[in-house]
Amino acid sequence: MRLWVLLSLLLLQETLPHVFGQSAKSKHPKEAGENKIKPINKKVKPKGLKMKEREPVDSPSKSQSILMQVMDKGRFQKLAATLSLSAGQSIELRCKGSNVTWSYPSYLDTFKDSRLSIKQLDRYGQLILTNSTAADTGEYSCWLQLCSANKCRKDETKTGSTYIFFTAKVTLHREFPAEEIETDESNIIYDAKKGFVYQHPTSDHKGIVYCKAESQGAPQISIKYHLLYVEVPKGPPSATVVASPSRAKVSDAIHVACTVLGEPDVDVTFSWQYPGQELERPVIIQNFWRLINRGTGHTTRISKSVLVIEHFEARDAGNYICIAQNPQGATTVATRVELN
């Protein structure tokens, strides 16, 4: 599998979106820490159907957007999920309420940007951003705080959020030889939320690159990134299996866990063979996975299948075999549980 390693990944906040490589084979984007659990042979008691009562139109449980944009001549406009503005424009947002909290791109706080102004007035909170740049692109949101004594909490029914794109002409450049790298909408594409994405990275793309944006004749240049090309061999999953305990008494509960460490975008499936299988011995099998960030831009996927017998019997003693499979092949591992 081909992977990109980015050097000098710390992007100065006043610069442009990141440049990075992305595998085109990832069919299901995954977030770090996400779990998927699929219990098998687990009995579930059916619940009676219940008609859903119609909720009043003015029900307090329904979220009400409190975010508006101030337009020319004192007009107001409710905001959709996304808003596109040309870089260089100024924007004023308001949120109804006497105790409003705001969220916006964090670098505006980090560098104490004087272009940003936030005020709390009697009936609304106000956010003003002047002389916007492409780097100001991001999510802007607000919510009402409910306070009692010394504690405050977010009012989930009165919030507002929009993702603002401050558009500018953004181009990708190579340092040596000095040239602009063209986007072709198939191999290299530009995503306003992510930056430049290499769909099918090859060794030809390695080198030092940077982004450049132009707005009203004023260019902005990002830090430089060193793209390295590394070949990673593909193969069947590397699996381990452990029984706990390995010696059990009658009526004990036992857990047999089969674990695979692999690339974040490679799915793994599991199957089992165990002593009571032909006798249709009731077991519980849970399959799940999660992503672990190991630093330096490396993420590992942990895939696991756990076979559980809640009340161990003499017929359950024997070999427990796990077959782990990915698109490149299958691996079989086994462990033994003895009757104590």
Side-chain angles (χ1 to χ4, degrees), residues 254-317:
I254 67 165
H255 297 71
V256 186
C258 188
T259 305
V260 171
L261 300 180
E263 296 299 324
D265 58 347
V266 178
D267 292 327
V268 178
T269 59
F270 296 93
S271 58
W272 287 91
Q273 296 174 12
Y274 50 94
Q277 193 168 26
E278 294 184 359
L279 302 176
E280 297 185 354
R281 179 75 166 100
V283 299
I284 297 173
I285 297 176
Q286 291 183 327
N287 298 329
F288 59 94
W289 58 262
R290 62 193 176 105
L291 299 179
I292 300 296
N293 188 345
R294 297 187 177 276
T296 65
H298 183 63
T299 301
T300 297
R301 171 171 170 151
I302 299 179
S303 302
K304 183 173 288 190
S305 181
V306 180
L307 183 149
V308 180
I309 296 179
E310 295 180 320
H311 301 285
F312 187 78
E313 298 178 2
R315 58 178 173 167
D316 295 319

Side-chain angles (χ1 to χ4, degrees), residues 87-257:
Q89 286 186 256
S90 297
I91 185 171
E92 178 180 349
L93 303 178
R94 289 187 184 181
C95 275
K96 297 178 183 178
S98 58
N99 190 3
V100 173
T101 300
W102 292 89
S103 176
Y104 42 84
S106 59
Y107 81 91
L108 292 169
D109 272 339
T110 303
F111 294 96
K112 297 181 180 179
D113 202 311
S114 60
R115 298 178 299 115
L116 177 71
S117 171
I118 292 180
K119 294 180 181 179
Q120 177 63 58
L121 304 176
D122 290 341
R123 296 184 180 181
Y124 61 87
Q126 178 192 64
L127 181 150
I128 298 177
L129 180 64
T130 61
N131 300 322
S132 62
T133 71
D136 297 325
T137 292
E139 185 175 31
Y140 292 75
S141 59
C142 63
W143 59 90
L144 194 62
Q145 289 275 40
L146 296 178
C147 298
S148 59
N150 295 326
K151 294 183 179 179
C152 292
R153 62 181 178 84
K154 181 179 180 179
D155 186 348
E156 298 290 349
T157 66
K158 294 182 180 180
T159 64
S161 178
T162 188
Y163 197 100
I164 303 178
F165 295 93
F166 292 99
T167 59
K169 181 183 178 181
V170 183
T171 52
L172 180 64
H173 296 259
R174 179 179 286 112
E175 184 178 53
F176 182 81
E179 61 183 1
E180 179 180 336
I181 302 173
E182 294 186 2
T183 57
D184 52 18
E185 301 305 321
S186 60
N187 188 22
I188 302 177
I189 64 172
Y190 178 70
D191 185 309
K193 286 188 177 182
K194 297 178 179 179
F196 289 95
V197 181
Y198 288 77
Q199 299 283 65
H200 308 287
T202 69
S203 60
D204 293 336
H205 295 127
K206 64 184 178 182
I208 298 175
V209 297
Y210 61 92
C211 297
K212 180 180 179 181
E214 292 185 13
S215 175
Q216 298 179 339
Q220 285 184 297
I221 297 177
S222 74
I223 63 171
K224 296 175 181 179
Y225 300 89
H226 193 172
L227 302 185
L228 301 179
Y229 181 79
V230 181
E231 290 280 0
V232 178
K234 298 179 180 180
S238 176
T240 59
V241 63
V242 176
S244 179
S246 58
R247 299 185 65 86
K249 298 178 182 178
V250 173
S251 296
D252 281 353
I254 67 165
H255 297 71
V256 186

